[in-house]
Amino acid sequence: MTSSDPTPAHGLQRLIYASRQNLPPDAPLDEVVADIIQASIRNNRERAITGLLLVHEGWFVQALEGPGPAVRERYERIAADPRHADARVLEIEPASARAFGDWNMCARTLSDADDALLDALAERESLAPERLDARNALRLLKAVRDIQGRAGFG
Protein backbone atom coordinates (compact mmCIF):
# COMPACT_ATOMS: atom_id res chain seq x y z
CA MET A 1 0.00 0.00 0.00
CA THR A 2 1.42 3.37 -0.97
CA SER A 3 1.35 6.31 1.36
CA SER A 4 -1.20 8.02 -0.90
CA ASP A 5 -3.46 4.97 -0.84
CA PRO A 6 -6.61 5.81 1.17
CA THR A 7 -7.62 2.14 1.51
CA PRO A 8 -6.69 0.56 4.84
CA ALA A 9 -4.98 -2.82 4.39
CA HIS A 10 -7.85 -4.68 6.09
CA GLY A 11 -10.32 -3.28 3.53
CA LEU A 12 -8.26 -3.99 0.41
CA GLN A 13 -9.59 -6.66 -1.94
CA ARG A 14 -8.22 -8.13 -5.15
CA LEU A 15 -10.56 -9.56 -7.77
CA ILE A 16 -9.23 -11.37 -10.83
CA TYR A 17 -11.55 -12.28 -13.67
CA ALA A 18 -11.39 -13.55 -17.22
CA SER A 19 -13.86 -12.92 -20.03
CA ARG A 20 -14.13 -13.39 -23.75
CA GLN A 21 -14.15 -10.33 -25.96
CA ASN A 22 -17.58 -9.77 -27.47
CA LEU A 23 -16.81 -7.25 -30.18
CA PRO A 24 -18.10 -6.84 -33.72
CA PRO A 25 -15.68 -8.45 -36.20
CA ASP A 26 -14.73 -5.06 -37.66
CA ALA A 27 -14.26 -3.33 -34.28
CA PRO A 28 -10.77 -1.81 -33.97
CA LEU A 29 -9.46 -3.54 -30.83
CA ASP A 30 -6.90 -0.84 -30.05
CA GLU A 31 -9.62 1.82 -30.04
CA VAL A 32 -11.97 -0.31 -27.92
CA VAL A 33 -9.23 -0.95 -25.35
CA ALA A 34 -8.24 2.74 -25.35
CA ASP A 35 -11.87 3.68 -24.63
CA ILE A 36 -12.04 1.11 -21.81
CA ILE A 37 -8.82 2.41 -20.26
CA GLN A 38 -9.82 6.06 -20.54
CA ALA A 39 -13.15 5.43 -18.79
CA SER A 40 -11.51 3.14 -16.22
CA ILE A 41 -8.89 5.68 -15.23
CA ARG A 42 -11.54 8.33 -14.67
CA ASN A 43 -13.92 6.03 -12.75
CA ASN A 44 -11.34 4.03 -10.81
CA ARG A 45 -9.46 7.04 -9.49
CA GLU A 46 -12.64 8.22 -7.75
CA ARG A 47 -13.10 4.82 -6.09
CA ALA A 48 -9.44 4.07 -5.17
CA ILE A 49 -9.37 1.12 -7.58
CA THR A 50 -6.17 0.09 -9.33
CA GLY A 51 -5.55 -2.72 -11.75
CA LEU A 52 -4.18 -4.23 -14.90
CA LEU A 53 -6.09 -5.41 -17.98
CA LEU A 54 -4.48 -8.02 -20.22
CA VAL A 55 -5.81 -8.39 -23.77
CA HIS A 56 -4.91 -11.46 -25.83
CA GLU A 57 -6.42 -13.41 -28.72
CA GLY A 58 -10.07 -12.70 -28.04
CA TRP A 59 -10.09 -12.52 -24.26
CA PHE A 60 -9.52 -10.23 -21.30
CA VAL A 61 -7.89 -11.06 -17.95
CA GLN A 62 -7.99 -8.33 -15.36
CA ALA A 63 -7.04 -7.69 -11.75
CA LEU A 64 -8.95 -5.04 -9.80
CA GLU A 65 -7.76 -3.87 -6.38
CA GLY A 66 -9.38 -1.52 -3.92
CA PRO A 67 -12.09 -1.26 -1.27
CA GLY A 68 -14.20 -4.42 -1.36
CA PRO A 69 -17.58 -2.85 -2.18
CA ALA A 70 -16.07 -0.68 -4.93
CA VAL A 71 -14.22 -3.63 -6.48
CA ARG A 72 -17.35 -5.82 -6.49
CA GLU A 73 -19.45 -3.00 -7.98
CA ARG A 74 -16.85 -2.39 -10.69
CA TYR A 75 -16.78 -6.10 -11.59
CA GLU A 76 -20.59 -6.22 -11.80
CA ARG A 77 -20.49 -3.31 -14.27
CA ILE A 78 -17.80 -5.06 -16.31
CA ALA A 79 -19.71 -8.36 -16.36
CA ALA A 80 -22.80 -6.51 -17.62
CA ASP A 81 -20.80 -4.69 -20.32
CA PRO A 82 -21.72 -6.12 -23.75
CA ARG A 83 -18.04 -6.08 -24.77
CA HIS A 84 -17.48 -8.94 -22.29
CA ALA A 85 -18.92 -12.45 -22.59
CA ASP A 86 -18.64 -15.42 -20.24
CA ALA A 87 -17.09 -13.29 -17.49
CA ARG A 88 -15.82 -15.49 -14.69
CA VAL A 89 -14.31 -14.52 -11.33
CA LEU A 90 -11.10 -16.47 -10.83
CA GLU A 91 -10.44 -15.07 -7.37
CA ILE A 92 -11.72 -12.50 -4.95
CA GLU A 93 -9.94 -12.18 -1.64
CA PRO A 94 -8.47 -9.72 0.81
CA ALA A 95 -5.05 -8.42 -0.19
CA SER A 96 -2.37 -7.22 2.20
CA ALA A 97 -0.95 -4.82 -0.41
CA ARG A 98 -1.65 -3.68 -3.94
CA ALA A 99 0.16 -5.59 -6.67
CA PHE A 100 -0.98 -3.09 -9.34
CA GLY A 101 -0.95 0.12 -7.34
CA ASP A 102 0.89 2.16 -9.97
CA TRP A 103 -2.14 2.35 -12.24
CA ASN A 104 -5.76 3.40 -11.91
CA MET A 105 -5.84 1.09 -14.91
CA CYS A 106 -3.27 -0.12 -17.39
CA ALA A 107 -3.73 -2.37 -20.40
CA ARG A 108 -1.31 -4.58 -22.23
CA THR A 109 -1.88 -6.58 -25.38
CA LEU A 110 0.40 -9.60 -25.66
CA SER A 111 2.23 -9.81 -28.96
CA ASP A 112 4.57 -12.27 -30.66
CA ALA A 113 7.39 -10.58 -28.74
CA ASP A 114 5.82 -11.86 -25.53
CA ASP A 115 6.16 -15.53 -26.56
CA ALA A 116 9.11 -15.93 -24.18
CA LEU A 117 6.93 -14.70 -21.31
CA LEU A 118 4.25 -17.26 -22.10
CA ASP A 119 6.83 -20.03 -22.47
CA ALA A 120 8.49 -19.10 -19.17
CA LEU A 121 5.18 -19.21 -17.38
CA ALA A 122 4.21 -22.43 -19.19
CA GLU A 123 0.82 -20.86 -19.76
CA ARG A 124 0.29 -21.37 -23.48
CA GLU A 125 -2.29 -24.08 -23.00
CA SER A 126 -4.05 -22.51 -20.04
CA LEU A 127 -4.62 -18.97 -21.28
CA ALA A 128 -8.20 -19.68 -22.31
CA PRO A 129 -10.53 -18.17 -19.71
CA GLU A 130 -12.29 -21.47 -19.08
CA ARG A 131 -8.97 -23.10 -18.11
CA LEU A 132 -7.12 -20.25 -16.39
CA ASP A 133 -6.92 -20.51 -12.62
CA ALA A 134 -6.36 -17.72 -10.09
CA ARG A 135 -2.75 -18.59 -9.26
CA ASN A 136 -1.64 -18.63 -12.90
CA ALA A 137 -3.67 -15.53 -13.77
CA LEU A 138 -2.00 -13.59 -10.95
CA ARG A 139 1.46 -14.85 -12.00
CA LEU A 140 0.77 -13.77 -15.57
CA LEU A 141 -0.56 -10.35 -14.60
CA LYS A 142 2.41 -9.71 -12.29
CA ALA A 143 4.83 -10.69 -15.07
CA VAL A 144 3.07 -8.26 -17.40
CA ARG A 145 3.22 -5.60 -14.65
CA ASP A 146 6.96 -6.11 -14.42
CA ILE A 147 7.34 -5.79 -18.20
CA GLN A 148 5.32 -2.57 -18.12
CA GLY A 149 7.53 -1.25 -15.32
CA ARG A 150 10.76 -2.06 -17.18
CA ALA A 151 9.34 -0.41 -20.31
CA GLY A 152 8.77 2.77 -18.30
CA PHE A 153 4.97 2.59 -18.18
CA GLY A 154 4.68 2.04 -14.44
Side-chain angles (χ1 to χ4, degrees):
M1 182 166 61
T2 64
S3 60
S4 62
D5 186 352
T7 308
H10 67 275
L12 183 64
Q13 270 198 330
R14 180 178 304 119
L15 184 147
I16 301 172
Y17 77 89
S19 68
R20 294 193 186 285
Q21 295 169 9
N22 187 33
L23 307 174
D26 60 342
L29 182 60
D30 290 343
E31 290 178 26
V32 170
V33 172
D35 290 345
I36 289 171
I37 294 305
Q38 189 174 41
S40 295
I41 289 170
R42 181 180 58 250
N43 295 327
N44 292 350
R45 187 174 291 137
E46 296 171 1
R47 293 166 181 85
I49 295 174
T50 57
L52 176 70
L53 172 65
L54 180 61
V55 181
H56 185 65
E57 295 184 354
W59 52 267
F60 298 111
V61 174
Q62 185 171 29
L64 299 168
E65 299 172 328
V71 166
R72 288 187 297 278
E73 182 273 333
R74 177 61 49 213
Y75 172 74
E76 289 170 11
R77 291 180 62 96
I78 290 166
D81 186 319
R83 296 173 293 193
H84 296 265
D86 304 322
R88 177 171 78 94
V89 173
L90 302 174
E91 176 178 80
I92 183 167
E93 67 178 15
S96 59
R98 291 180 189 259
F100 307 99
D102 289 337
W103 303 293
N104 291 109
M105 189 49 59
C106 175
R108 167 107 178 168
T109 300
L110 291 183
S111 66
D112 292 341
D114 293 306
D115 282 348
L117 168 66
L118 298 177
D119 287 338
L121 293 174
E123 293 306 309
R124 282 198 184 278
E125 297 303 316
S126 64
L127 284 178
E130 66 272 9
R131 291 192 304 261
L132 193 62
D133 66 26
R135 183 182 65 83
N136 288 328
L138 185 58
R139 283 179 57 220
L140 179 61
L141 290 166
K142 284 181 175 181
V144 170
R145 172 203 64 196
D146 294 344
I147 290 169
Q148 291 289 106
R150 285 193 298 273
F153 298 114

